[in-house]
Amino acid sequence: HLLSRRQRQMCIRAELKELKSDQIIDKTIFPTVPPKTSYQLTALGETLTPLILEMEKWGDKYNQLHE
């Protein structure tokens, strides 16, 4: 079942809102037309980098085994 574009956008917004609430990311809104939004990792979010890199390695190994 495929999600519509609107449903995908709603999911992404909800995830970003949760990450901001958990202080993993910061959000900056620029007063331009149309508005521009930028997200960046917080110091707490940066502490997840080693975990994410290890997950990437695991995924690469998994994909190699299942090609």
Side-chain angles (χ1 to χ4, degrees), residues 25-37:
I25 62 171
D26 278 328
K27 177 181 178 179
T28 305
I29 301 173
F30 298 94
T32 60
V33 178
K36 179 183 173 191
T37 305

Side-chain angles (χ1 to χ4, degrees), residues 1 9 12 29 37 46 52:
H1 166 273
Q9 288 174 340
I12 291 169
I29 301 173
T37 305
E46 288 285 346
I52 294 168

Side-chain angles (χ1 to χ4, degrees), residues 13-31:
R13 283 187 192 121
E15 291 297 326
L16 289 169
K17 185 176 181 179
E18 185 174 352
L19 289 168
K20 186 173 181 328
S21 174
D22 292 339
Q23 299 178 343
I24 304 297
I25 62 171
D26 278 328
K27 177 181 178 179
T28 305
I29 301 173
F30 298 94

Side-chain angles (χ1 to χ4, degrees), residues 7-66:
Q7 289 170 317
R8 288 191 306 268
Q9 288 174 340
M10 288 173 60
C11 288
I12 291 169
R13 283 187 192 121
E15 291 297 326
L16 289 169
K17 185 176 181 179
E18 185 174 352
L19 289 168
K20 186 173 181 328
S21 174
D22 292 339
Q23 299 178 343
I24 304 297
I25 62 171
D26 278 328
K27 177 181 178 179
T28 305
I29 301 173
F30 298 94
T32 60
V33 178
K36 179 183 173 191
T37 305
S38 175
Y39 296 91
Q40 47 284 335
L41 288 173
T42 62
L44 179 61
E46 288 285 346
T47 67
L48 295 170
T49 300
L51 174 65
I52 294 168
L53 293 174
E54 286 301 314
M55 291 172 64
E56 180 184 33
K57 282 190 221 175
W58 181 89
D60 289 344
K61 288 178 186 177
Y62 178 89
N63 287 335
Q64 287 175 358
L65 292 172
H66 295 91

